[in-house]
Amino acid sequence: MAQDVETAATLQQRIAKAMTVLVGRVLRSEVAVTEDSLLMEELALSSSLILELLLELEDEFEIQIDVEEMDEDEINTVGDLAEYIANHSIAR
Amino acid sequence: MSTTAMSTVTVWTLRTDVAPDVLARCHDLLDDTERTRAAAFVHETDRRRFIVAHGALRLVLGRELGVPARRLAFTSGRHGKPRLTPFAGLHMSLSHCADLAAVATSPAQPVGVDIQQHVRGDVAAMATRFFAPEEARYVVAAPDDDSGVDRFTRLWTRKEAVVKAAGTRLWPNLGMPVHRHDVVQCVAPRGPHRVTDLVAPQGSRLAVALPGAEPYDVRVGAFRWS
């Protein structure tokens, strides 16, 4: 159990780090992205770009993300999304 | 025999790459909350698009309600959907993507509108992974890349319009089939919605939806600033 928690936390860090690069790629623009960057309010990341980002993350980390529970009202920052993904994905 | 008047939805489309004087006029219409949100964007382009879209929304509502656009007040509902407060008897929906925006109003029922410039990225992979199997086949079977992108974007705007009309989240409804019929079943919350494709500027797609299965009239026009 402790190992599972450890793994999710590590995965979350790796995903957050990857996202700081991948977000710029899906936005097709040079932008400084941190874990605290606001996905919609600062970066103007639309739902379709988030979908593109999720697909990129699934390929890079060889995971499958369960998107059904995603709620934009609760996922505000890059770090929030990384946390969601780390806790709602399975290895494939 | 009684007859019930058919609901009417009005949809205005506009470009958000406007002249500086129009941008300034739009900014003047916004309230403090909207100005704070505009100021938060990293990119100037996103700031301009937000200001113009929200300025146009205010002008549309002001004209329909006979109220000065600056005096309108909104609350942000769940899932970011704005709502007039006090309600004033007019539902609305706003969508903007790249340099395009759409504003929809509906007196009788909630409305959802979505405008989307052709989606970039691997549409076949995205449809295969996230859409219903028959929709994925429809996107993958497109005769060329451009039509694949157009098919994906059409499905995307239809799903977005339905979830906005339902006032719900997109993600549980990504697999909702919308490609074959105009009356579609929202998954969460359950219920029929009627979605309509509208003529959109080249390289984009536009859809509007209302709750329920009943037909409705749609009036579409190009928004004018004066």
Side-chain angles (χ1 to χ4, degrees), chain A residues 29-48:
Chain A
S29 76
E30 299 248 333
V31 59
V33 179
T34 71
E35 281 194 46
D36 295 328
S37 299
L38 294 166
L39 295 164
M40 285 180 286
E41 288 88 348
E42 291 175 355
L43 301 172
L45 209 63
S46 66
S47 302
S48 62

Side-chain angles (χ1 to χ4, degrees), chain A residues 40 70-76, chain B residues 77-81 169:
Chain A
M40 285 180 286
M70 269 177 52
D71 187 344
E72 287 96 337
D73 288 353
E74 290 167 16
I75 298 173
N76 296 307
Chain B
R78 270 180 65 71
H79 318 304
K81 191 173 182 182
R169 292 180 294 133

Side-chain angles (χ1 to χ4, degrees), chain B residues 25-158:
Chain B
R25 184 180 161 206
C26 287
H27 191 263
D28 282 346
L29 296 174
L30 304 186
D31 65 18
D32 289 346
T33 305
E34 290 162 324
R35 288 180 189 183
T36 304
R37 287 180 65 193
F41 288 108
V42 172
H43 287 299
E44 198 59 43
T45 314
D46 295 319
R47 186 173 358 273
R48 187 246 304 151
R49 289 166 176 167
F50 177 93
I51 291 169
V52 175
H54 285 258
L57 171 66
R58 282 179 169 273
L59 287 168
V60 166
L61 297 172
R63 287 170 192 173
E64 291 201 22
L65 295 167
V67 175
R70 273 212 70 172
R71 297 228 329 249
L72 296 166
F74 303 100
T75 46
S76 184
R78 270 180 65 71
H79 318 304
K81 191 173 182 182
R83 186 179 168 87
L84 274 169
T85 176
F87 171 58
L90 194 61
H91 297 274
M92 67 174 135
S93 182
L94 170 66
S95 172
H96 60 101
C97 174
D99 284 331
L100 301 170
V103 175
T105 60
S106 155
Q109 298 183 82
V111 58
V113 72
D114 195 66
I115 194 162
Q116 174 79 49
Q117 199 173 56
H118 274 169
V119 170
R120 298 171 299 196
D122 188 342
V123 293
M126 287 195 284
T128 303
R129 169 64 185 90
F130 295 107
F131 286 3
E134 65 267 33
E135 290 188 336
R137 283 195 293 275
Y138 169 71
V139 172
V140 171
D144 54 58
D145 287 352
D146 284 350
S147 9
V149 166
D150 187 58
R151 286 183 181 192
F152 181 93
T153 308
R154 170 175 174 260
L155 298 177
W156 185 263
T157 56
R158 288 168 71 84

